[in-house]
Every structure is written in structure tokens, then in C-alpha cells.
Amino acid sequence: MTGAESLLAGLDEQQRVAAESLLGPVVLLAGAGTGKTRAITHRIAYGVATGVYAPERVMALTFTSRSAAELRGRLRHLGTTGVAARTFHATALSQLGFFWPQVIGGTMPRILDSKGRMLGHAAETLRLKLDTATLRDLAAEIEWRKVSRLTFDQYAAAIDGRVMPALLDADKMLALHRAYETIKDERRQLDFEDVLLATAGMIESEPRVAQQVREQYRFFVVDEYQDVSPLQQALLDLWLGDRQDVCVVGDASQTIYSFAGASADYLLGFPARYREATVVRLEQNYRSTQHIVHSANRLMRARPGALTLHAAVEQPGTAAPTIDVYPSEIAEARAIGQRIAEQIAAGTRPQDIAVLYRINVQAAAIESALGDSGVTVQLRGGTRFFDLQEVKQALMMLKGAVVAGAKEPLFKTVSDVLRSLGWTQDPPELRGAVRDRWESLNAIMGLAEASLPGTTLRGFVDELNERSAAQHEPTLSAVTLATLHSAKGLEWDTVYVVGLSEGYVPITYAKTAEAVDEERRLLYVGITRARRRLHLSWARTTTGRGQERKPSQFLEELR
């Protein structure tokens, strides 16, 4: 078996078709847990190994830095280097920075970290006093207008169908949009959407820019294609020009960002747009038990673009998903906290368990209940791993060891550095800040242990720096608490999805059929995060005022 052929070994029939379809338009309709990342990384590696692709001419586009880092890591393990794997924004920003001095002249404007402060100034110019929450909603509306590629006049025509913050009518909203853009231009700054818009504008208006860009990248792969916005699609079209060597991967059932301008229409319409397209359906689920797969299929039955998943292997002794009802949210949290504590006591690793919910405010009761049970938690959306003080210290000292020319084996050097910061081989019995600090340092030790044989200290530090830049965080020994949105792309052995009542799932403001469908897809994402055990629950009353609730309309379909 040649090196190239070995890259196809272990792929299922459909994954192999995807890997061997190297030229022309290709669409992978890939259901949850069907190995889409495996399929596209083996496809790229096979293309390079067979000489069809020059690695430096391949661009893999993702929606998060974490996904891009994972793609690069997997390609590296397959022996493929030199392929660019970046987000749409990172790619556009690189091109904009390169071409700005040539086309516009001078240095590129500064990129805004956040719209909040500038929107506050825009509101002041209109004598409006807006709170932080309203400013956040205003920022989201501006982002939606720009990724939808709407002019002010087009936005004014569409505004009647939009939900406005309570303090703002259509006229005030439009005035705020204009004031924000004026102030931003006066201060010579760009926001994240401007990066895409300006890059697209340069390629459209400057033939030599278009020529250089298209000479650089010849073959494109787009992950999570169901999340592409009109602006991102326009930029992809400009990068491609009149070529058709593009492979897109996505699942219409996981479209959960329509509110931000994403549209599954590009994914579902791909075969009509490219009549010669190779269409591959990945429906063999390698993640979840048959019971969980059946639940996911029931929820999405007959929905547009929904794939029918098939469990690859049924594991004996697995249980059907449970649906529980509790008298209150506090009772729900306490019961789940106790069940998780019992699971961990029986030998389940904390990092193999997650509790998912619709909105962040639901986390407080769960976090408190788990804390009372002595369970360490990791709150996704909290302080990032590489921003923790002890992690920064460890990275600084490891860099110092590189400069000092440390000669010991990698494991020994990393161990010595971490011990100087208080790490021990055995975890402290205390919980709280001391245990949290140990978990962080132990995660770095775990990365060192998992390094490939022969990895040098410099290579390990470079990997940590790359992970830090991409926010590709190691797994901590803690139960994960996460919103359904932030859980996308992750998986655990045991998943609890809590708060499945009307008002949470679907959320109160999901008034239209389209919005309710998006909530259904969000629950589908939550269900398909579970590998072996899935527990669904809801509470009859909310915390605080004791408001009566009804079970989510989706639960009846799952019973």
C-alpha cells in the first residue's frame, strides 16, 4: 500500500468517495458525528500526496480559530504541511493588510475590538441614552445588515420585518447605523465586517488584486458551510473567480446562526448552482448510540435538508434518553448535581460530562448545585484557559527554559517547570481556587505527555503559542457547563440538556415558524453532542417569581 493509498484506509465508503473527489465542485452533506473533519482532512492530504494539490495553493476556510487549529493539527498528523487553514476573517485580514498600501496608500486603518464604545458615542450625538444590553443588540443589528450586504436604503426597506430593541424605533435605528459609520470613518477605523467588505471591494475593483489572490489559492474547502452569510459567499465567489475547484461541507440541521445572517440556502442550493457537482451524503454516525441517533432523527423528521443518521455500531447495555420533570429549577439543578456527583464517584471522568442550556442565566443554579456536591466545573465562555494567570506563568517559564537551552527530555523539563509553580503528581483534596489552579497546570502536563515522540521543548512551546493564538484549549478535568450555541462542534459521553420548557426552548422571542425551526435545530445540536447517555429535563416553575411553565413542544416528539 502506497503512502497515498494508506490515507484512504479506514474511511467508510462515502468518506472515501469524498476523499477521492479532488477536482471540480463537491458538496459533502455531513450529519452530526459522521466524521466530516476526518473526511476533509484525508481528502486534502490525499490530494497533496497524489500530487493533485500543491499544499501552498490549498485554502481550508472555517468559522472559528479553534476549528482552523484542529484542521492544521490533523493535517500535520497525516504528514501534510503548508496548507492554509484559517477563518474567513483571518484570510481577508491578511489580504487586506497586504494590498492596502498598494491600492489605497498608507497604513491600513485600525481594527475595532468592539463596537460598544463607538455606538455609545453615536447614541450621544443623537441625544439618546442607551444601556449596555441595548448597545449589544444594536451592534448585532449592524452586523446583520453588513453581512447581509444591505445598503442603508435596502436596510430601511427591510427594517419593518426586524425586531427592534424596546427603546428604538425604525427611524432611530437607521440614524444610529449612519452615525456609527460616520464616526468610524472619521476615526479611520474598521470593524470586523468592514474587513470582509473592503477585501471584496478591492478584488472586485482591482483586476491585479484579483489576479494575485487567485494565483495564490487554487483549491478551496469550506467547513460548516450551512453557516455562510451572503457577504462570506460573495467573498468566496471572488476568491474562486471562474474556477470551480471548491469542496463545501455542512449540515442544514445544524444551522443555528440565521439570526446573525447565516443561511443554509447556499448549502442546499449547491447542486443546482453547480450542475456537475459531486454530492456525497455522510449519514453513518460514529459518535452516538442508536437510541440517541433515533431521538435526533425523530426531532428532524421531514425537515428541509435533514439527513437520516444511522448508528455505525450499537453498544450493548446503553440506555434510551430520559425525560424528567422537576417541580422547580432549583430542584432540577440539585437533582442533576447529585446524579453527576454519583457518576463521578462511580468512576466517570468529569470532562466526559456536560450540562447544556439555552441562555447563560440558567448556568447559575447548576454551577451552585455542582459546587455543593464538590464537583469542579468549566464554564464555557468564562475566562479563557490561556488567559489564566498560572497558564501565562507556565508559558513564560517554558519559554525561558528554551532560551536557557534546557537539555532534559521534554517530559522532565515541563514537569520541573510546573512543579516550581505548585503542580504535584497527585491532585489536592481541596476544591476551589487551589484545585482549579492544579487542573490548569495538569492540563499543560497532559499536553506534554500527549506530544509526538521526538517533540522538542521549542516545538512544544511553539504548539502552546499556536493553541493560545487560536484559543484551542486543552481538556480540563471538570464538568462542562455551556449554552447550546457554544456546545456546537463538541461532544461528551454524558449530556444533560436542562430547562426544556416553553420560553427557553423555543425561546420566548421565537415568534415565527422560521424562528421556532431554528430552536428545533438548536436542540438537535444539543442532542447530538451525546455519545452514550442523554438526559433531558424541564421544571414546572422558574427561580424567583415561581412562574409556571409548560414542557417544550419538542419533547412530545422525543418521547
Side-chain angles (χ1 to χ4, degrees):
M1 184 182 291
T2 67
E5 289 171 343
S6 68
L7 291 166
L8 303 179
L11 300 182
D12 69 29
E13 184 180 347
Q14 291 305 300
Q15 289 172 343
R16 187 175 181 126
V17 170
E20 291 180 312
S21 302
L22 297 175
L23 298 174
V26 179
V27 55
L28 307 187
L29 300 172
T34 57
K36 70 176 178 67
T37 306
R38 178 179 175 81
I40 59 176
T41 51
H42 281 252
R43 179 180 182 273
I44 293 169
Y46 183 68
V48 171
T50 54
V52 177
Y53 299 161
E56 67 277 3
R57 304 208 60 194
V58 180
M59 170 59 77
L61 294 161
T62 70
F63 284 82
T64 67
S65 297
R66 179 189 175 92
S67 297
E70 183 183 358
L71 276 178
R72 288 194 297 271
R74 290 210 195 186
L75 287 170
R76 198 160 48 236
H77 278 280
L78 293 174
T80 303
T81 57
V83 170
R86 300 179 192 152
T87 64
F88 274 88
H89 275 99
T91 305
L93 185 59
S94 174
Q95 292 177 358
L96 194 62
F98 180 78
F99 289 112
W100 189 283
Q102 303 173 34
V103 177
I104 310 296
T107 57
M108 195 178 83
R110 189 168 66 85
I111 308 298
L112 267 178
D113 291 332
S114 167
K115 295 180 176 69
R117 183 173 295 180
M118 191 168 287
L119 286 172
H121 293 159
E124 287 173 9
T125 65
L126 300 172
R127 298 185 178 178
L128 294 172
K129 191 171 180 62
L130 304 179
D131 59 22
T132 303
T134 304
L135 290 173
R136 277 203 303 268
D137 289 341
L138 174 58
E141 190 68 4
I142 287 173
E143 288 159 12
W144 178 84
R145 169 179 60 82
K146 296 174 91 161
V147 301
S148 300
R149 304 185 80 201
L150 300 181
T151 64
F152 286 131
D153 289 343
Q154 289 169 329
Y155 177 68
I159 206 168
D160 287 341
R162 304 289 295 168
V163 178
M164 295 293 109
L167 299 175
L168 301 174
D169 58 22
D171 290 340
K172 287 177 182 174
M173 180 62 87
L174 192 57
L176 282 164
H177 280 233
R178 292 182 185 277
Y180 165 76
E181 297 295 342
T182 298
I183 294 172
K184 181 165 58 64
D185 291 346
E186 288 172 349
R187 296 181 182 179
R188 204 170 174 272
Q189 292 181 307
L190 300 174
D191 60 27
F192 282 109
E193 294 71 43
D194 290 333
V195 171
L196 301 188
L197 286 164
T199 304
M202 279 190 185
I203 299 173
E204 277 181 312
S205 61
E206 296 288 335
R208 63 188 178 88
V209 172
Q211 182 183 357
Q212 277 186 261
V213 166
R214 289 167 192 161
E215 282 176 356
Q216 184 176 14
Y217 297 114
R218 177 75 175 79
F219 306 97
F220 287 84
V221 176
V222 188
D223 194 13
E224 302 287 4
Y225 191 60
Q226 77 279 350
D227 289 335
V228 78
S229 70
L231 176 54
Q232 288 164 329
Q233 180 62 50
L235 193 51
L236 177 62
D237 289 340
L238 287 165
W239 284 332
L240 281 165
D242 59 1
R243 299 165 303 178
Q244 297 191 351
D245 289 312
V246 57
C247 172
V248 300
V249 191
D251 179 8
S253 295
Q254 295 189 68
T255 307
I256 58 173
Y257 292 105
S258 296
F259 64 89
S263 172
D265 292 347
Y266 298 111
L267 174 68
L268 298 178
F270 192 89
R273 184 179 184 190
Y274 294 101
R275 298 291 181 182
E276 304 300 315
T278 300
V279 180
V280 183
R281 298 171 71 92
L282 301 183
E283 296 179 301
Q284 194 83 335
N285 179 286
Y286 295 94
R287 175 186 299 157
S288 306
T289 67
Q290 194 168 10
H291 292 298
I292 294 168
V293 165
H294 284 339
S295 294
N297 286 338
R298 281 200 298 275
L299 185 65
M300 298 308 296
R301 185 182 293 128
R303 298 286 148 179
L307 299 164
T308 302
L309 300 177
H310 308 281
V313 180
E314 179 48 31
Q315 302 164 359
T318 57
T322 62
I323 299 177
D324 297 306
V325 56
Y326 297 95
S328 68
E329 288 181 337
I330 293 295
E332 181 183 30
R334 286 175 178 165
I336 289 170
Q338 185 176 347
R339 286 174 73 175
I340 290 174
E342 289 170 357
Q343 276 184 268
I344 293 171
T348 300
R349 300 188 310 168
Q351 60 266 39
D352 291 333
I353 303 172
V355 183
L356 310 181
Y357 37 82
R358 178 63 177 84
I359 54 176
N360 282 312
V361 71
Q362 294 172 271
I366 300 290
E367 187 175 13
S368 176
L370 287 170
D372 290 343
S373 299
V375 175
T376 302
V377 301
Q378 177 186 20
L379 195 64
R380 283 192 69 81
T383 303
R384 295 178 186 272
F385 178 81
F386 288 101
D387 290 337
L388 295 170
Q389 190 60 38
E390 61 269 23
V391 175
K392 288 181 175 179
Q393 284 180 310
L395 193 49
M396 182 177 68
M397 292 182 69
L398 288 169
K399 288 177 182 175
V402 171
V403 173
K407 303 296 184 186
E408 298 281 357
L410 176 65
F411 181 90
K412 176 74 164 57
T413 304
V414 175
S415 174
D416 289 347
V417 166
L418 297 180
R419 286 180 192 280
S420 73
L421 293 171
W423 177 79
T424 55
Q425 200 156 5
D426 297 317
E429 294 188 6
L430 289 172
R431 64 181 177 87
V434 171
R435 178 60 183 254
D436 291 346
R437 178 182 172 86
W438 182 89
E439 293 287 2
S440 301
L441 296 175
N442 194 56
I444 296 175
M445 194 70 243
L447 290 175
E449 291 172 344
S451 293
L452 293 173
T455 300
T456 63
L457 179 61
R458 181 179 293 279
F460 180 65
V461 169
D462 287 345
E463 182 193 347
L464 290 180
N465 285 331
E466 187 176 315
R467 279 176 167 269
S468 177
Q471 289 301 337
H472 183 197
E473 302 181 347
T475 302
L476 300 178
S477 181
V479 172
T480 299
L481 305 187
T483 64
L484 290 165
H485 278 100
S486 64
K488 189 165 180 288
L490 304 174
E491 58 186 79
W492 299 269
D493 278 356
T494 303
V495 170
Y496 293 83
V497 186
V498 304
L500 291 176
S501 58
E502 293 288 308
Y504 281 146
V505 182
I507 199 74
T508 309
Y509 49 76
K511 303 291 188 186
T512 64
E514 291 80 6
V516 171
D517 269 349
E518 181 119 335
E519 295 291 303
R520 177 187 294 273
R521 295 192 294 269
L522 195 54
L523 178 55
Y524 173 84
V525 166
I527 287 172
T528 54
R529 300 310 93 197
R531 288 191 286 250
R532 294 180 58 80
R533 289 170 290 276
L534 174 66
H535 303 290
L536 312 174
S537 63
W538 66 284
R540 296 187 188 280
T541 59
T542 58
T543 304
R545 293 175 294 176
Q547 179 185 358
E548 290 285 334
R549 286 195 178 272
K550 296 179 180 178
S552 167
Q553 58 192 269
F554 305 133
L555 283 180
E556 192 57 42
E557 300 173 40
L558 293 170
R559 291 188 188 281

